[in-house]
Amino acid sequence: IDTTAVSKYKEDMSILTNGILCAFFGFLVGAILHLDAWSAFFSTLVRMYNGVGGRVSELVAPMGFWLFFTVMHPLVGGAGVGLGELAWQFPGYITGDLDAVGPP
């Protein structure tokens, strides 16, 4: 058995284990620090579940919208800001004798 390969494997596993432990404790500390927010989130889910009479199928559309919004907002948000900045660079609309400055 090649001892250098074994020691390299042990070193790699040690780094991986330390990374996993660090991520776990980071998640744990973050969850504890934001316990109020997690509590509010889950209590809202329970209220939604009770509001539809316990029918999970009624929660599919709101949860789908929420998931779509949370995933797309960071992706489209930057584009929206960029388009807004671009719109403000144009001189505006000319309506009759009035010259508007920037978007309405």
Side-chain angles (χ1 to χ4, degrees):
I1 296 177
D2 186 11
T3 57
T4 57
V6 171
S7 64
K8 175 72 172 138
Y9 174 77
K10 286 182 180 179
E11 180 183 334
D12 289 346
M13 289 307 295
S14 173
I15 291 171
L16 178 65
T17 304
N18 288 342
I20 291 172
L21 285 174
C22 184
F24 172 74
F25 285 117
F27 173 78
L28 189 65
V29 168
I32 290 170
L33 289 176
H34 297 94
L35 198 56
D36 291 339
W38 283 108
S39 174
F41 174 72
F42 285 114
S43 68
T44 301
L45 287 180
V46 169
R47 284 178 45 211
M48 289 172 61
Y49 179 76
N50 292 335
V52 295
R55 293 183 308 273
V56 177
S57 61
E58 296 289 325
L59 294 176
V60 171
M63 290 299 165
F65 175 76
W66 177 79
L67 183 64
F68 175 77
F69 180 79
T70 57
V71 170
M72 293 304 291
H73 182 72
L75 299 175
V76 178
V81 170
L83 290 174
E85 292 294 324
L86 182 66
W88 277 106
Q89 293 176 2
F90 285 97
Y93 311 104
I94 299 175
T95 307
D97 292 339
L98 302 174
D99 186 13
V101 178

